[in-house]
C-alpha cells in the first residue's frame, strides 16, 4: 500500500497507531469488518471512557 508509505492514508487512520494502518489494509482487501461497524465500535468505546 503505497499510500501508507507516503502518508496519504493518514486521514483514514482513526486511532493513529499501527493497528489503524492494519485496518486500512484489511479493508482494502476485504478481510476486516465493515467500516461503519468499526466506526460505531470506536465511538461507543470513546463514549464509555468519557462516562467513566
Amino acid at each position: 500500500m503505497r499510500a501508507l508509505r507516503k502518508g496519504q492514508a493518514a486521514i483514514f487512520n482513526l486511532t493513529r497507531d499501527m493497528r489503524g494502518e492494519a485496518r486500512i489494509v484489511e479493508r482494502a482487501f476485504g478481510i476486516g469488518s465493515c467500516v461503519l461497524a468499526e466506526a460505531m465500535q470506536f465511538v461507543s468505546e470513546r463514549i464509555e471512557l468519557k462516562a467513566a
Side-chain angles (χ1 to χ4, degrees):
M1 301 261 328
R2 187 171 182 211
L4 287 175
R5 287 193 317 249
K6 293 179 73 177
Q8 295 170 340
I11 61 170
F12 299 108
N13 188 349
L14 297 177
T15 56
R16 305 280 186 236
D17 61 357
M18 186 62 79
R19 182 64 192 136
E21 291 181 7
R23 287 186 190 109
I24 293 171
V25 174
E26 288 172 352
R27 285 187 216 125
F29 292 103
I31 300 170
S33 61
C34 172
V35 175
L36 183 58
E38 198 167 299
M40 289 302 296
Q41 180 184 3
F42 179 76
V43 169
S44 65
E45 287 174 2
R46 292 290 179 158
I47 291 172
E48 287 176 11
L49 287 174
K50 286 193 178 210

